């Protein structure tokens, strides 16, 4: 019985690969060697490969009398250039649980979206509203699995049956549970404000002012943070997402104008050359507007 | 039965038992390098993984299963992992033809991954891939004829 060798390109327009492994999903490490060689070649010539865009952030969280307040700035940087002046760093995870993300922007975004889906599936499967501790546990297990290559630091805050809680998770998978937390490149500036003025069981307005001041300190003292302050107030009854709560950095107004009056430059000579164009071909195409 | 992720350090049991597949010398069935199917060989490719996570990701599910079965054996006795592994083997046999993507629904349900979303569901989903394995070669490989 004759059997012809299958060709690589078939009439059905599917490419065939000759490996015998069944394909699996997830990360593919096929190109890592090629990328390493390319990067070595580029750096020999003096160029560098593009970097992942980091958020260069100040994020902060605080537990007050009735719940949790999360705050973040809104600048995303790409090495030394501001890539996004108004990005959202406070992500939704569950109706009463929100998460601020710092570090590599894409990692933080995808991590929080996956967490949100997982939390929803889990709470459908258990039939109970999700716990903040559950979100933290899944996050830290996932980040530890990838050994810090997923560069996202997160502050998870929310209200569940155990009351208001605040956790911070680092890219390698460690976590902290504290009454106030800051992360990102502006963390040092923000935490100094917290250390100075934090008291347990603060009132809502006082707590909002304190978080706003901490994020503003990060915006002014850190190059990687800027633009507006976003706040998210989570209590047992409501969630208030205050986008653009404060805009401490306003764009300045120009003092003078650089426009010149018409006639400032004298015209010395003027030559007019008409271009004669002949009609070569004329065609009419009816547009089908039905 | 659904396992929670086991975070107890059972590293000592993992060290000798994880097979380092995919990084052995690329010998074909006759003991010689199989250039047609596995490409050119190089010593560096075979000895070192190209990315620190490559090995751990390749064996992740295996390691998780091993740790879970070990804990189960310590808590409930040998019968529990034996029964479960029998069910896993049965579920693993429910597949479509080798070159078509299988849903593995029974296996997912047993493992408890039918209600979790990970990177293996988002990135490189085999259902959406533009290339497929050669039907003849994959069936021959599966049947052991190749």
């Amino acid at each position: 019985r004759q059997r012809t060798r299958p060709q690589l390109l078939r009439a059905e327009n599917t490419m065939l690969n000759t490996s015998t492994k069944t394909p699996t999903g997830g990360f593919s490490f096929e190109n890592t060697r090629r990328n390493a060689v390319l990067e070595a070649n580029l750096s020999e010539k003096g160029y560098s490969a593009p970097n992942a865009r980091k958020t260069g952030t100040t994020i902060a969280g605080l537990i007050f009398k009735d719940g949790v307040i999360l705050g973040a700035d809104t600048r995303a940087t790409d090495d030394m250039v501001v890539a996004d002046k108004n990005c959202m760093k406070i992500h939704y995870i569950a109706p009463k649980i929100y998460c601020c993300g710092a570090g590599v922007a894409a990692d933080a975004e995808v991590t929080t979206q996956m967490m949100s889906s997982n939390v929803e599936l889990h709470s459908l499967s258990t039939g109970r509203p999700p716990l903040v501790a559950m979100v933290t546990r899944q996050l830290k297990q996932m980040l530890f699995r990838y050994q810090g290559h997923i560069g996202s630091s997160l502050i998870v805050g929310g209200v569940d049956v155990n009351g208001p809680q605040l956790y911070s998770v680092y890219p390698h998978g460690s976590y902290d549970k504290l009454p106030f937390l800051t992360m990102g490149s502006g963390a040092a500036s923000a935490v100094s404000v917290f250390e100075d003025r934090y008291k347990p069981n603060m009132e809502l307005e006082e707590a909002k002012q304190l978080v706003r001041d901490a994020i503003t300190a990060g915006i002014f003292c850190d190059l990687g943070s800027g633009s507006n302050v976003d706040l998210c107030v989570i209590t047992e009854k409501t969630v208030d997402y205050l986008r653009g709560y404060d805009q401490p950095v306003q764009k300045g107004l120009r003092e003078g104008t650089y426009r010149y009056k018409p006639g400032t430059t004298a015209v010395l000579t003027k030559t007019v050359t008409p271009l004669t164009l002949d009609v070569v071909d004329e065609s009419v195409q009816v547009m089908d507007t039905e | 039965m659904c396992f929670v992720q086991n975070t107890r350090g059972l590293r000592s049991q993992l060290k000798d038992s994880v097979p380092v597949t995919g990084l052995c010398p690329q010998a074909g069935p006759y003991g010689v390098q199989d250039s047609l199917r596995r490409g050119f060989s190089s010593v560096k490719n075979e000895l070192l993984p190209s990315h620190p996570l490559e090995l751990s990701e390749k064996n992740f599910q295996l390691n998780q299963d091993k740790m879970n079965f070990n804990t189960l054996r310590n808590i409930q006795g040998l019968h529990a992992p034996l029964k479960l592994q029998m069910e896993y083997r049965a579920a693993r046999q429910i597949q479509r033809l080798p070159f078509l993507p299988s849903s593995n629904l029974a296996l997912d349900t047993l493992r408890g991954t039918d209600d979790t979303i990970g990177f293996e569901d988002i990135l490189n989903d085999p259902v959406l891939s533009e290339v497929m394995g050669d039907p003849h070669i994959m069936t021959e490989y599966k049947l052991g004829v190749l």
Side-chain angles (χ1 to χ4, degrees):
Chain A
R1 200 181 63 167
Q2 287 263 326
R3 193 174 38 180
T4 53
R5 202 84 201 127
Q7 288 152 14
L8 210 53
L9 277 172
R10 293 190 158 202
E12 299 96 89
N13 284 335
T14 49
M15 281 278 291
L16 298 171
N17 65 345
T18 46
S19 91
T20 48
K21 294 196 295 266
T22 43
T24 49
F27 289 107
S28 159
F29 296 102
E30 285 170 358
N31 287 332
T32 38
R33 258 185 242 283
R34 176 206 75 169
N35 291 346
V37 170
L38 283 176
E39 269 183 60
N41 283 347
L42 276 181
S43 63
E44 264 171 44
K45 297 201 180 89
Y47 304 113
S48 65
N51 275 339
R53 178 197 299 180
K54 303 190 83 148
T55 48
T57 316
T58 309
I59 47 178
L62 181 78
I63 296 188
F64 70 107
K65 194 176 76 162
D66 304 319
V68 171
I69 302 187
L70 297 172
D73 72 307
T74 57
R75 175 182 286 185
T77 53
D78 205 349
D79 249 350
M80 280 288 126
V81 176
V82 174
D84 191 346
K85 287 184 285 196
N86 205 358
C87 66
M88 285 175 50
K89 299 186 189 177
I90 306 185
H91 308 278
Y92 166 90
I93 300 235
K96 291 276 164 46
I97 304 178
Y98 279 70
C99 176
C100 307
V104 181
D107 290 348
E109 184 75 34
V110 164
T111 307
T112 46
Q113 282 177 348
M114 269 175 43
M115 274 308 121
S116 172
S117 310
N118 272 327
V119 161
E120 179 67 22
L121 285 170
H122 190 261
S123 70
L124 282 172
S125 148
T126 55
R128 298 183 177 126
L131 299 174
V132 187
M134 175 250 168
V135 178
T136 310
R137 178 170 282 208
Q138 287 203 335
L139 268 175
K140 76 171 158 69
Q141 283 176 351
M142 188 186 88
L143 291 175
F144 182 73
R145 171 178 171 179
Y146 292 103
Q147 292 289 301
H149 285 270
I150 295 194
S152 60
S153 346
L154 306 149
I155 293 186
V156 186
V159 178
D160 57 26
V161 284
N162 298 329
Q165 288 168 69
L166 193 61
Y167 293 88
S168 74
V169 185
Y170 288 80
H172 283 266
S174 59
Y175 76 101
D176 280 322
K177 178 174 196 274
L178 290 169
F180 61 89
L181 287 162
T182 61
M183 292 194 90
S185 54
S189 331
V191 86
S192 62
V193 176
F194 275 160
E195 294 276 1
D196 188 26
R197 286 159 44 186
Y198 175 80
K199 297 187 298 291
N201 287 328
M202 285 194 290
E203 294 296 322
L204 173 64
E205 285 309 318
E206 193 188 346
K208 268 163 65 171
Q209 186 65 25
L210 181 57
V211 177
R212 182 217 153 265
D213 287 343
I215 303 286
T216 313
I219 289 176
F220 283 133
C221 306
D222 175 45
L223 290 177
S225 317
S227 304
N228 318 329
V229 177
D230 284 347
L231 283 189
C232 184
V233 181
I234 310 174
T235 57
E236 206 175 310
K237 302 184 191 63
T238 55
V239 171
D240 264 330
Y241 195 121
L242 304 161
R243 181 131 166 84
Y245 176 72
D246 188 30
Q247 279 146 5
V249 180
Q250 295 284 357
K251 194 165 175 175
L253 291 171
R254 282 220 178 108
E255 300 283 318
T257 165
Y258 286 100
R259 290 189 168 273
Y260 293 98
K261 285 202 305 269
T264 311
T265 314
V267 178
L268 295 178
T269 51
K270 192 160 126 175
T271 344
V272 177
T273 317
L275 293 171
T276 47
L277 299 172
D278 299 324
V279 177
V280 173
D281 183 30
E282 195 176 307
S283 68
V284 176
Q285 218 168 29
V286 179
M287 213 162 59
D288 192 2
T289 51
E290 284 297 311
Chain B
M1 178 180 291
C2 158
F3 301 128
V4 290
Q5 276 215 11
N6 189 338
T7 50
R8 283 184 22 211
L10 293 177
R11 187 117 179 90
S12 55
Q13 295 178 350
L14 291 179
K15 217 168 32 169
D16 307 307
S17 62
V18 169
V20 178
T21 52
L23 282 187
C24 309
Q26 297 165 347
Y30 301 107
V32 200
Q33 214 282 320
D34 199 359
S35 302
L36 179 67
R37 278 181 210 94
R38 293 185 232 279
F40 297 116
S41 72
S42 86
V43 177
K44 194 164 109 170
N45 275 354
E46 291 162 22
L47 287 180
L48 301 167
S50 53
H51 192 275
L53 288 180
E54 187 175 357
L55 273 184
S56 79
E57 279 300 295
K58 196 183 277 221
N59 293 327
F60 186 74
Q61 198 55 50
L62 250 117
N63 291 349
Q64 285 298 107
D65 287 346
K66 275 187 164 42
M67 285 206 298
N68 285 336
F69 283 138
N70 259 311
T71 321
L72 200 58
R73 178 186 180 164
N74 291 335
I75 298 175
Q76 293 189 15
L78 187 56
H79 73 98
L82 276 182
K83 271 195 202 156
L84 281 173
Q85 281 191 320
M86 192 181 74
E87 289 177 25
Y88 273 46
R89 264 183 206 220
R92 213 173 290 146
Q93 290 174 7
I94 307 170
Q95 301 265 315
R96 295 176 71 196
L97 290 171
F99 47 91
L100 295 173
S102 317
S103 71
N104 287 324
L105 187 59
L107 197 57
D108 275 349
T109 312
L110 275 178
R111 281 205 183 111
T113 54
D114 61 336
D115 57 359
T116 53
I117 290 189
F119 285 113
E120 56 273 358
D121 303 305
I122 303 174
L123 301 172
N124 271 337
D125 197 358
V127 176
L128 303 171
S129 104
E130 301 106 11
V131 285
M132 65 184 254
D134 186 351
H136 295 285
I137 295 185
M138 293 195 82
T139 330
E140 286 171 14
Y141 182 75
K142 186 83 184 295
L143 294 173
V145 174
L146 192 62

